[in-house]
Amino acid sequence: MPMPLPLGTIALDNEAPSPLYRQLYDALRDAILDGRLHPGARLPSSRTLAGDLGVGRNTVLAAYDQLTAEGYLEGQVGAGTQVAAILPDSLLQLDRQARVTLPKIAASNTRKLSKRGEALSGTRRLAPTYIRGRGQPFQHGLPAIDQFPALLWGRLLARHSRDPRNGLFGYEVGMGLPALREAIAAYAGAARGVVCTADQVIVTVGAQGALDLTARMLLDPGDPVWVEDPGYLGARGAFLGAGAELVPVPVDGEGLDVEAGIARHETPKLIYVTPSHQFPLGATLSLPRRLALLDHARRSGAWILEDDYDSEYRYQGRPIASLQGLDRADTVIYMGTFAKTLFPALKIGYLIVPQNLVDAFATAIRITGHVPPAAVQAALADFIGEGHFGGHVRRMRALYAERRNILLRSLENELSPWLRAAPGEGGLQLSAFLAETADDRAMAKAASEGGIHVSPLSLYRLEEGRPGLYMGYASVPEADLAKSAQRLAAVLKAAGCPRHI
């Protein structure tokens, strides 16, 4: 005889987000695992149970089929459906009598993260939150997404997504699609003065994927790494995640202070630098310091990771050529991303590595699997190769220059009692210094409560330094910039921000 089911415990709800068959599946599975339905117990026929529960027979059949597929039920001809004699979760079951007698154990998991995991999780961002994909006033890191040619991009993406015979539906090439690597090598050579061939290009999942891969491949626990101070949190997190020792190196109007770095640690394993547009102060690494940095890396045996951050957007003179283009000792690994030139969700970055690292990096990225989808890579290759990328960057450079000038005028006028713009000639954002006695975190918090997103410069520092605010302008329409500056001025005044003397 079929075992009567505890129907009182089976409550199916037509309004619940979970379908009825899944609700029944969960109820029966719980009854089996709790021992209310023991191994070998026969269940009612699907027709009978459907009538008892007031649901369609297909609902019961779907639940029975899923439980059978997972090994909780088994069906025999002439014997109906019954609970399996050996349950798939049996290894998770304690003896039922022992369950009754054993004391309750707290539900907490006492297993710990690795030391690298602890270090990585400790670098969580402290900046105010913002609505994803929508630019709040002065939010940094977000380009003018509404100006991106989305219809054109959709056509290019559809071109490579419609036909499974085009080779993009299989396993992707680990280093990236050859067409995209060719396009990146050609662009980096022409626009940034990078000296490379396509076989040196490694396509990654955004800039963070490039940082993570480089840290894994070059750093052992305890290795010293020069990092700019203030500097990029994403790089700091990647290096800490690899167990490295961070060596903060101060930054001034000429960029990274090489002599200060040598004084602090003469033989770093890796030097991380943003020479074209220092994050977050905006300085350009001067030519004497570029040459000094390359010379010290050559003599000390250090690698240089050049993050060519915001290099496309320079508004005075021609873009500065890359550090990699000056390198004659194969010490520089060049890193780029399309997050700022196109849109962040694209999640495509790249590394250009010296020839002696190509095989090792190519093998590693195949193992990690951190490669963007092939169809997206193919669409981007077309976007670059057909000239759309260059045209888009030129249009955006003019737009961002106009928005930057509006913000600079606001800093010279209504914001001048509290903020002074840091020197800089490009980028999608800028830093502005507060008075020495100001608390930039308190000011950023007050601004956030007023609907304005700015980051305190102290967030990016490992050591004490001048307080200030990091302000983006690229995603803010021109008409809103001046109004937002007025709102920020009112916030700073109400918060009692010290004035410049």
Side-chain angles (χ1 to χ4, degrees):
M1 289 288 293
M3 181 175 182
L5 291 177
L7 294 179
T9 64
I10 299 179
L12 305 184
D13 182 2
N14 284 303
E15 302 299 324
S18 179
L20 292 177
Y21 89 88
R22 184 71 195 193
Q23 296 178 46
L24 179 57
Y25 160 89
D26 290 336
L28 292 174
R29 182 177 181 273
D30 288 346
I32 292 169
L33 293 177
D34 290 345
R36 289 177 284 129
L37 287 175
H38 56 78
R42 288 180 57 195
L43 271 65
S45 69
S46 59
R47 193 180 305 277
T48 299
L49 184 55
D52 291 341
L53 295 176
V55 298
R57 186 185 176 202
N58 286 339
T59 297
V60 179
L61 286 173
Y64 277 11
D65 288 346
Q66 184 66 29
L67 289 164
T68 300
E70 295 180 9
Y72 293 99
L73 300 180
E74 53 191 17
Q76 298 180 5
V77 177
T81 302
Q82 62 186 39
V83 179
I86 301 177
L87 296 177
D89 292 81
S90 60
L91 293 178
L92 303 178
Q93 303 285 316
L94 290 172
D95 178 81
R96 300 194 188 281
Q97 183 61 37
R99 270 192 186 182
V100 176
T101 58
L102 284 176
K104 292 284 186 179
I105 299 176
S108 61
N109 190 331
T110 59
R111 297 173 180 84
K112 296 181 178 180
L113 295 172
S114 68
K115 291 182 179 179
R116 293 186 184 187
E118 291 282 2
L120 189 59
S121 65
T123 61
R124 59 187 177 274
R125 298 178 185 273
L126 303 177
T129 58
Y130 52 87
I131 301 172
R132 180 177 180 177
R134 290 174 53 191
Q136 289 180 280
F138 308 129
Q139 176 187 333
H140 66 81
L142 189 66
I145 295 175
D146 60 328
Q147 300 296 314
F148 179 72
L151 292 178
L152 169 62
W153 174 257
R155 288 197 296 271
L156 295 177
L157 191 57
R159 175 191 298 174
H160 296 286
S161 301
R162 286 191 292 250
D163 188 358
R165 296 171 296 179
N166 64 10
L168 300 179
F169 282 49
Y171 288 103
E172 70 274 9
V173 177
M175 293 173 65
L177 288 185
L180 180 56
R181 293 164 62 212
E182 290 280 359
I184 290 172
Y187 165 73
R192 305 297 307 123
V194 172
V195 180
C196 72
T197 58
D199 67 348
Q200 293 173 254
V201 178
I202 310 285
V203 179
T204 64
V205 181
Q208 211 57 41
L211 286 164
D212 179 71
L213 179 63
T214 303
R216 290 194 200 202
M217 295 302 293
L218 301 183
L219 298 176
D220 290 315
D223 280 343
V225 177
W226 283 12
V227 292
E228 298 167 324
D229 192 33
Y232 179 46
L233 290 179
R236 190 191 306 175
F239 303 144
L240 286 174
E245 173 195 350
L246 300 186
V247 180
V249 180
V251 173
D252 59 22
E254 293 186 66
L256 182 83
D257 188 337
V258 179
E259 291 301 320
I262 295 172
R264 293 187 174 203
H265 201 298
E266 190 172 359
T267 55
K269 182 68 173 294
L270 178 70
I271 299 169
Y272 172 78
V273 63
T274 54
S276 297
H277 182 242
Q278 198 277 329
F279 181 99
L281 296 184
T284 299
L285 190 64
S286 66
L287 180 59
R289 288 195 181 175
R290 288 173 184 245
L291 297 176
L293 183 61
L294 289 168
D295 181 64
H296 183 69
R298 178 184 58 80
R299 289 187 290 104
S300 67
W303 293 104
I304 297 174
L305 178 57
E306 177 183 10
D307 185 348
D308 206 18
Y309 177 75
D310 276 0
S311 61
E312 291 84 0
Y313 299 119
R314 181 178 172 84
Y315 309 118
Q316 297 179 15
R318 295 182 59 80
I320 303 298
S322 68
L323 187 66
Q324 193 266 8
L326 299 173
D327 182 22
R328 297 296 179 267
D330 284 342
T331 62
V332 178
I333 299 167
Y334 180 89
M335 172 182 144
T337 177
F338 295 95
K340 307 300 187 297
T341 49
L342 299 181
F343 56 94
L346 183 63
K347 300 298 287 185
I348 292 184
Y350 57 93
L351 293 167
I352 297 177
V353 302
Q355 284 286 358
N356 63 336
L357 292 181
V358 168
D359 289 343
F361 273 62
T363 300
I365 202 164
R366 287 188 178 95
I367 292 172
T368 62
H370 295 167
V371 180
V376 178
Q377 292 189 50
L380 179 56
D382 287 352
F383 193 81
I384 298 172
E386 295 175 7
H388 308 301
F389 179 76
H392 180 67
V393 169
R394 287 191 294 273
R395 289 190 297 273
M396 292 300 98
R397 187 181 294 126
L399 175 66
Y400 297 152
E402 181 180 358
R403 293 181 176 181
R404 175 184 175 86
N405 287 335
I406 294 173
L407 178 55
L408 286 173
R409 284 197 297 270
S410 294
L411 286 166
E412 292 171 356
N413 295 309
E414 55 263 38
L415 288 169
S416 61
W418 303 280
L419 290 167
R420 297 280 192 273
E425 299 173 344
L428 306 184
Q429 47 268 319
L430 56 80
S431 289
F433 294 119
L434 294 162
E436 293 285 355
T437 57
D439 182 342
D440 58 5
R441 292 188 183 238
M443 295 304 106
K445 184 175 185 296
S448 177
E449 292 170 351
I452 295 176
H453 179 85
V454 291
S455 293
L457 286 183
S458 60
L459 175 69
Y460 307 107
R461 296 188 186 276
L462 289 170
E463 298 179 338
E464 291 295 324
R466 188 171 180 182
L469 300 178
Y470 194 46
M471 310 170 68
Y473 48 81
S475 63
V476 187
E478 296 89 317
D480 295 339
L481 277 166
K483 296 177 182 177
S484 300
Q486 293 171 359
R487 287 169 52 198
L488 179 58
V491 166
L492 295 176
K493 181 178 181 181
C497 182
R499 293 172 173 247
H500 287 284
I501 300 174

